[in-house]
Amino acid sequence: MKTADPELMRAINRLSVLDTIRRHGPISRVEISERTELSTTTVSAITASLLDDGLILTRHEGDIRNAAARGRPRVMLEVNPDAARVVGAKIAASRMVFVVANFRGDVLSTLTLPIRIDRQPIAVIADLVEDGVRRCVVDAGLSLEDVDSVCLGIPGVIEHRTGHIRSSPIFREVNIDFAAEMSARLSTPTIIESDAHAITLGHHWFGKARELEDMVLVSLEQTLGLGVLHRNRLFRGAGGLSHNLGDLVLGIGPQGVMRLSSQAGESAILGEQQTDGRFAEAIRLGRGMTHVQALIQADDDRLITAAVRAGEAIGLTIANIVTLFAPPRVILVGSSLALGEPFLNSLRDAYALAIPPSLKGVSELVFDDSTDDFWAQGAAAVALYELYESPWSTTGPAL
Amino acid sequence: MKTADPELMRAINRLSVLDTIRRHGPISRVEISERTELSTTTVSAITASLLDDGLILTRHEGDIRNAAARGRPRVMLEVNPDAARVVGAKIAASRMVFVVANFRGDVLSTLTLPIRIDRQPIAVIADLVEDGVRRCVVDAGLSLEDVDSVCLGIPGVIEHRTGHIRSSPIFREVNIDFAAEMSARLSTPTIIESDAHAITLGHHWFGKARELEDMVLVSLEQTLGLGVLHRNRLFRGAGGLSHNLGDLVLGIGPQGVMRLSSQAGESAILGEQQTDGRFAEAIRLGRGMTHVQALIQADDDRLITAAVRAGEAIGLTIANIVTLFAPPRVILVGSSLALGEPFLNSLRDAYALAIPPSLKGVSELVFDDSTDDFWAQGAAAVALYELYESPWSTTGPAL
DNA sequence: TGAATTTAATTTGCCTGGCGTAAAAAATCC
DNA sequence: GGATTTTTTACGCCAGGCAAATTAAATTCA
């Protein structure tokens, strides 16, 4: 049972005001007061403190109300883009994407390194990540000292709280304290988060869940991940663990346990193909569904069969997740979406079949084929969220 | 984003203190101060207000410390058993169990009505429930006016927040506002909760999860339910919904979707038996595992086969739930446990097989064969929890 | 043009309700 | 009575809330 004190109270309300300003663009104090249900007195005090800390800016234009508004015009407040800078990254088996974002979450620069880092030793991967972060920061015309924190989105079972990677397909080792490693290398606070969690928060901040406070996201990449947004926050398991959907069991077959990853993981779908890897690459790039579909159609039916089977397995899994969490929306992301209609249709069909009648209609499925930049931007959002939450001004406006 | 004000602060700390007193028996103010990390000043003020409201009592004995303690002896505080009374109930298809509990959760009287209410019209069920509540209250030597609230634990998909029963195996209708119905009949505030949630809180208060703040419970009865305790609170889905594990899909078979309930539901296991129902009754009574096992052994293998299959399905499901929630403990309850070793062994084996290696050892399985009273007591705990949370004294000690 | 009107934002008291420290009061043992 | 420990009281500080007055920056109207 957490105990409450004035400081906590102040932190909560500060975050509430700052987040309201972030979400609702330039906004006047009156409107903040309405939205947060804080008194105008308090809003005035808090915004003064935020202005003092340089986290927000005033703007004397853009009052959206009736142009013929009488009375003193509202002063609009907005997040100060230059209050901080963070780096967000998506680390995947065949590429790394870096993004430098300002305090508002705007992307200042992007860097994609199409390198296969699969199962390299930690030191090699850490070298590449460090290099990518540094380069991307330089591309943005900044220096690493200008960066307040870094968040790395990594596939696998990530323990955000401790910064440990429990297990990840791109690491040979298990239980690595990667956050400490990278913090030391970059001499900048570095957060580790599951890639699925990162893009979940990304969708909450910038994407297809902006207006929702509860939501579930399923990521279909090399790893099958899950992100749960619960009351505007990432829901992390009891130990602050991320979820790994690929470990879910569908049943026991002749060869032992059949896990979802063996049905619907990227390698399960593509692995049977002994081709030159055109599919894999086209799909991983995540762009040009039509291109991939053309490839699929030109090929024999094996890939299609695999895609249909995968879609079915995932449709069932999503139905099960909806049964457990009953979110108003489920967002699907990831490279596997590029498999196109055969996959999506079987997914939708299996979902429709498997969703219990009593929950029919509570959840809508949304497919999202954002580029990798968006994942990295999501990681940046994770980093920013922690900055938003942090106290900043020691205590009180003082002076 | 919730907004904080002094009232909320006070409510949080009051609950924290009251809950500490409840959990740690007679306890002195100093110790409360240590446990809650509130200052002795604040603890003193809050306890004074609680004493003023009659929610706690002082006791000038029982200081456990060194008998030769010098200085002013600690005054022990404990929850006032008579500060309130609630009724908790477990409503099941073949019986109803009622419990009257005091403010501490002690059971004052118990009433079991072995009536099959399966699929009766609402009015009939409501009549029986009303009757049961009234009788149990009288048995406790009380009148309904002495009862502060009632909580009914019901199988199925229950929407606690609105008091609606979305769907339940014991009701023909769906979407019933049963809380309103019973509140009106009893003219006492009545809460509806999933039976699984009720016993989950019961275990947190009185049972096998007293020391945990995260935990998962799986109930195996006519309905397969799930309760998740997250940071000392029941985790209710996005809509305040309870979970219905029976709706989980295991796969798509020749006859369409295969749900967990068809493999492991009570009727799935027993339904094939064309016997006179001795099994069903023996199992439902939940007592005397050995008796049931004797019946099982005397019978042919069909029941055993069904039990093994059910255990397997549930073992897999639990592994999946652990994959999603990573709780330190999973408690299994419900009549199906009475199926005995064949069932439990196959459950354990399937779980061990299905749990992903990276999560091996994070969760321990605990089996609990409490009687129905305990379920009802859990429902009482749900009612009490809401009383504990409620403000009581309007605001401040005043006077 | 200038005064009245209107709405926004800030400031000023005065309330509650936390916190902490320090000191006083209380209750027991020696 | 002195020593010791618990509990309460007193005081000042920092949160937030309300209400009312004040200041600010427009628009409207005479």
Side-chain angles (χ1 to χ4, degrees):
Chain A
M1 196 64 53
K2 215 175 198 168
T3 162
D5 58 21
E7 248 181 89
L8 174 69
M9 198 161 123
R10 177 157 152 279
I12 291 173
N13 289 337
R14 245 180 96 99
L15 175 60
S16 172
V17 168
L18 185 51
D19 205 57
T20 303
I21 296 174
R22 178 186 67 78
R23 301 176 78 88
H24 303 285
I27 183 176
S28 67
R29 292 178 176 81
V30 251
E31 217 184 321
I32 296 172
S33 167
E34 285 163 11
R35 292 199 115 98
T36 59
E37 295 177 36
L38 294 168
S39 73
T40 60
T41 310
T42 306
V43 171
S44 230
I46 291 178
T47 52
S49 142
L50 292 172
L51 281 166
D52 204 56
D53 292 343
L55 304 189
I56 59 174
L57 298 174
T58 60
R59 213 212 277 180
H60 294 269
E61 23 164 321
D63 193 338
I64 326 282
R65 297 171 307 160
N66 191 342
R70 339 222 287 124
R72 176 176 176 174
R74 301 176 171 185
V75 175
M76 309 307 272
L77 302 171
E78 61 188 338
V79 166
N80 178 1
D82 301 320
R85 284 150 223 95
V86 298
V87 176
K90 179 189 188 186
I91 314 295
S94 60
R95 70 208 175 284
M96 302 192 283
V97 181
F98 300 88
V99 149
V100 173
N102 63 23
F103 197 55
R104 208 164 53 192
D106 303 326
V107 173
L108 302 182
S109 70
T110 303
L111 174 67
T112 302
L113 297 182
I115 310 170
R116 171 158 292 280
I117 54 170
D118 229 319
R119 306 267 159 188
Q120 295 284 342
I122 301 177
V124 175
I125 298 179
D127 266 350
L128 291 166
V129 172
E130 182 184 346
D131 199 51
V133 170
R134 288 184 186 277
R135 269 208 263 172
C136 196
V137 169
V138 170
D139 287 355
L142 300 170
S143 143
L144 206 49
E145 283 95 62
D146 302 322
V147 172
D148 294 88
S149 74
V150 177
C151 175
L152 307 175
I154 298 173
V157 179
I158 312 297
E159 207 172 280
H160 165 270
R161 219 183 37 197
T162 63
H164 280 68
I165 298 174
R166 282 283 191 102
S167 77
S168 171
I170 61 177
F171 284 92
R172 287 192 289 208
E173 297 85 353
V174 294
N175 273 323
I176 314 154
D177 189 351
F178 202 57
E181 169 76 19
M182 295 311 300
S183 295
R185 278 169 175 267
L186 298 167
S187 55
T188 305
T190 303
I191 305 163
I192 301 294
E193 185 52 281
S194 131
D195 56 354
H197 281 181
I199 195 171
T200 301
L201 196 62
H203 271 290
H204 186 47
W205 276 40
F206 317 114
K208 296 181 171 162
R210 252 175 290 193
E211 77 290 7
L212 298 175
E213 50 181 29
D214 291 281
M215 180 265 282
V216 160
L217 176 142
V218 174
S219 84
L220 310 168
E221 298 244 312
Q222 189 186 11
T223 290
L224 303 167
L226 175 68
V228 176
L229 189 79
H230 183 62
R231 300 194 198 168
N232 288 321
R233 313 195 67 132
L234 283 174
F235 176 77
R236 298 181 173 109
L241 276 182
S242 63
H243 322 271
N244 187 1
L245 286 188
D247 284 335
L248 290 180
V249 170
L250 296 172
I252 295 186
Q255 293 96 20
V257 175
M258 187 170 68
R259 297 195 189 277
L260 182 59
S261 57
S262 72
Q263 296 290 299
E266 207 175 59
S267 57
I269 302 169
L270 301 174
E272 301 173 359
Q273 302 299 115
Q274 297 297 357
T275 60
D276 55 312
R278 284 172 303 147
F279 297 106
E281 276 318 299
I283 284 174
R284 285 213 187 90
L285 288 173
R287 305 176 197 111
M289 276 203 187
T290 50
H291 175 58
V292 177
Q293 283 178 53
L295 284 175
I296 289 180
Q297 278 161 14
D299 196 57
D300 65 347
D301 294 330
R302 272 181 301 166
L303 185 56
I304 296 178
T305 309
V308 166
R309 202 184 50 193
E312 194 173 293
I314 294 196
L316 296 188
T317 301
I318 292 174
N320 285 347
I321 289 169
V322 169
T323 300
L324 293 180
F325 291 100
R329 184 172 302 162
V330 178
I331 299 179
L332 288 103
V333 299
S335 51
S336 296
L337 293 185
L339 290 167
E341 289 308 318
F343 172 74
L344 299 180
N345 285 337
S346 86
L347 190 159
R348 268 189 282 253
D349 291 349
Y351 175 76
L353 204 64
I355 189 78
S358 61
L359 293 178
K360 200 152 276 180
V362 311
S363 271
E364 67 175 318
L365 295 193
V366 172
F367 298 91
D368 171 60
D369 56 339
S370 303
T371 61
D372 283 326
D373 299 16
F374 192 72
W375 293 68
Q377 206 187 352
V382 173
L384 286 174
Y385 188 82
E386 306 210 348
L387 290 183
Y388 275 53
E389 268 192 324
S390 68
W392 290 87
S393 68
T394 48
T395 176
L399 299 184
Chain B
M1 196 63 54
K2 215 175 200 170
T3 163
D5 56 21
E7 249 180 88
L8 175 68
M9 198 160 122
R10 179 158 150 277
I12 291 173
N13 289 338
R14 243 180 97 98
L15 175 60
S16 172
V17 169
L18 185 50
D19 205 57
T20 302
I21 296 174
R22 177 186 67 77
R23 300 176 78 88
H24 303 285
I27 183 177
S28 68
R29 292 179 177 81
V30 250
E31 216 183 322
I32 296 171
S33 167
E34 285 162 13
R35 291 199 116 96
T36 59
E37 297 177 32
L38 293 168
S39 73
T40 60
T41 309
T42 306
V43 171
S44 228
I46 292 178
T47 51
S49 143
L50 292 172
L51 281 165
D52 203 57
D53 292 342
L55 303 190
I56 59 174
L57 297 174
T58 60
R59 212 213 277 182
H60 294 270
E61 23 163 320
D63 192 337
I64 325 282
R65 295 173 307 160
N66 192 341
R70 338 222 291 125
R72 177 175 175 172
R74 302 176 171 185
V75 175
M76 308 308 271
L77 302 171
E78 60 188 338
V79 166
N80 178 1
D82 301 320
R85 285 150 222 96
V86 298
V87 176
K90 179 189 188 185
I91 314 295
S94 58
R95 70 208 175 284
M96 300 192 286
V97 180
F98 300 88
V99 148
V100 173
N102 63 22
F103 196 55
R104 208 165 54 191
D106 304 327
V107 173
L108 303 180
S109 71
T110 303
L111 174 67
T112 301
L113 298 181
I115 310 170
R116 170 158 291 279
I117 55 169
D118 228 320
R119 307 266 159 188
Q120 294 284 344
I122 301 177
V124 175
I125 298 178
D127 266 351
L128 290 166
V129 172
E130 182 184 345
D131 199 52
V133 171
R134 288 182 186 281
R135 267 208 265 173
C136 195
V137 169
V138 170
D139 287 355
L142 299 169
S143 144
L144 204 48
E145 283 96 63
D146 302 322
V147 172
D148 293 88
S149 75
V150 177
C151 175
L152 307 174
I154 299 173
V157 180
I158 312 298
E159 205 172 282
H160 165 268
R161 218 184 38 199
T162 63
H164 280 68
I165 298 174
R166 282 282 190 104
S167 77
S168 173
I170 61 177
F171 285 91
R172 287 192 290 208
E173 299 86 352
V174 292
N175 271 325
I176 314 153
D177 189 352
F178 201 59
E181 168 76 19
M182 295 312 301
S183 295
R185 280 170 175 266
L186 298 167
S187 55
T188 305
T190 303
I191 305 162
I192 302 293
E193 186 52 281
S194 132
D195 55 356
H197 281 181
I199 194 169
T200 301
L201 197 62
H203 270 289
H204 186 46
W205 277 40
F206 317 113
K208 296 183 173 162
R210 251 175 291 193
E211 76 289 8
L212 297 176
E213 51 181 27
D214 291 281
M215 180 266 283
V216 159
L217 176 143
V218 174
S219 84
L220 310 168
E221 297 245 312
Q222 188 186 13
T223 290
L224 302 168
L226 175 69
V228 177
L229 189 78
H230 183 63
R231 300 193 197 170
N232 288 322
R233 313 194 67 130
L234 283 174
F235 176 77
R236 298 180 172 109
L241 277 182
S242 62
H243 322 270
N244 186 359
L245 286 188
D247 285 335
L248 290 180
V249 170
L250 296 173
I252 295 187
Q255 293 97 21
V257 175
M258 185 169 72
R259 297 196 188 276
L260 182 60
S261 56
S262 72
Q263 296 290 299
E266 206 175 60
S267 58
I269 302 170
L270 302 173
E272 302 172 359
Q273 303 298 116
Q274 296 298 358
T275 60
D276 56 313
R278 283 173 305 150
F279 298 106
E281 277 317 300
I283 284 174
R284 284 213 188 88
L285 288 174
R287 305 178 197 110
M289 276 204 187
T290 50
H291 176 56
V292 176
Q293 283 179 55
L295 283 175
I296 288 180
Q297 279 161 15
D299 197 57
D300 65 347
D301 294 329
R302 272 181 301 165
L303 186 55
I304 294 178
T305 308
V308 166
R309 202 182 50 193
E312 193 174 295
I314 296 200
L316 296 188
T317 301
I318 290 174
N320 285 346
I321 289 169
V322 169
T323 300
L324 293 179
F325 292 99
R329 186 173 299 163
V330 177
I331 299 179
L332 289 103
V333 300
S335 52
S336 296
L337 292 185
L339 289 167
E341 288 309 318
F343 172 74
L344 298 181
N345 285 336
S346 86
L347 190 158
R348 267 189 283 251
D349 291 348
Y351 174 76
L353 205 62
I355 190 77
S358 61
L359 293 177
K360 198 151 277 176
V362 311
S363 272
E364 68 175 317
L365 295 193
V366 172
F367 298 90
D368 171 62
D369 57 338
S370 303
T371 61
D372 284 326
D373 298 17
F374 192 71
W375 293 68
Q377 204 187 353
V382 172
L384 286 173
Y385 188 82
E386 306 210 348
L387 290 183
Y388 275 52
E389 269 193 323
S390 68
W392 290 87
S393 68
T394 49
T395 176
L399 301 183

